[in-house]
Amino acid sequence: RTAVVRSDWLVEYWNWEKRCCELTVRLKDVVMSHQKFVGVAAVSVDRTLLVACERLGLYATVWNMKTGESVAILAGHALPVTAMAFSPDAASVATGDEGGLVRVWSTVSGDCILTLEGHKKVVTALAWAQLPLCSQSLLASASLDCSVRL
């Protein structure tokens, strides 16, 4: 399954096995600047939340996938956001930027709860993994500096 965020900020949730769109949601409260195209987006594992930002955007917005209402604004990056991923429980979302900074945010409050430094170039990918036999998860970040950090 794949979530497609169109340039008009309409979200289509596709089931590729059935070859059909299962859900369409119009995102509300979208504030677009001159860069009106979606740069990066992610959907929570339980498909209840979507996080997205416009191309070259310095902040991301979390939306409720059932209502299309914005839930939180994640503002704090000084450089454009390039990657994002939800934690397995959807309580947190990680964002990475062009300067190599990774931030972890609360999806409820929108507060930054952790800032991770170390990459020397743009963050290209973020992924969470649920650790077996415990309630903790692990965040991995990849960068153009040829490193992966856990």
Side-chain angles (χ1 to χ4, degrees):
R1 293 185 171 126
T2 303
V4 177
V5 185
R6 299 181 354 186
S7 62
D8 61 357
W9 293 82
L10 186 72
V11 179
E12 298 175 339
Y13 193 73
W14 284 83
N15 180 328
W16 294 113
E17 291 172 357
K18 295 180 180 178
R19 299 184 187 272
C20 68
C21 179
E22 293 181 329
L23 174 69
T24 302
V25 178
R26 166 82 52 202
L27 298 181
K28 301 172 185 170
D29 306 321
V30 175
V31 179
M32 294 184 289
S33 66
H34 63 286
Q35 301 290 343
K36 62 181 177 180
F37 297 104
V38 178
V40 62
V43 176
S44 62
V45 175
D46 62 4
R47 299 180 299 202
T48 60
L49 297 174
L50 170 102
V51 62
C53 70
E54 62 185 33
R55 190 173 66 86
L56 302 177
L58 301 180
Y59 67 92
T61 304
V62 179
W63 281 279
N64 178 309
M65 283 290 284
K66 291 188 186 336
T67 66
E69 300 286 336
S70 62
V71 178
I73 305 291
L74 314 178
H77 284 282
L79 294 170
V81 175
T82 55
M84 52 185 56
F86 278 99
S87 62
D89 63 2
S92 303
V93 64
T95 57
D97 70 22
E98 283 188 357
L101 193 69
V102 175
R103 293 184 183 270
V104 179
W105 310 83
S106 164
T107 56
V108 176
S109 67
D111 293 334
C112 180
I113 53 179
L114 184 63
T115 300
L116 304 169
E117 299 177 357
H119 288 300
K120 297 183 181 10
K121 292 187 179 180
V122 61
V123 175
T124 55
L126 294 165
W128 291 85
Q130 183 69 46
L131 296 176
L133 305 175
C134 71
S135 62
Q136 296 185 350
S137 56
L138 183 69
L139 174 64
S141 60
S143 170
L144 281 182
D145 63 11
C146 298
S147 69
V148 174
R149 295 185 168 268
L150 302 175

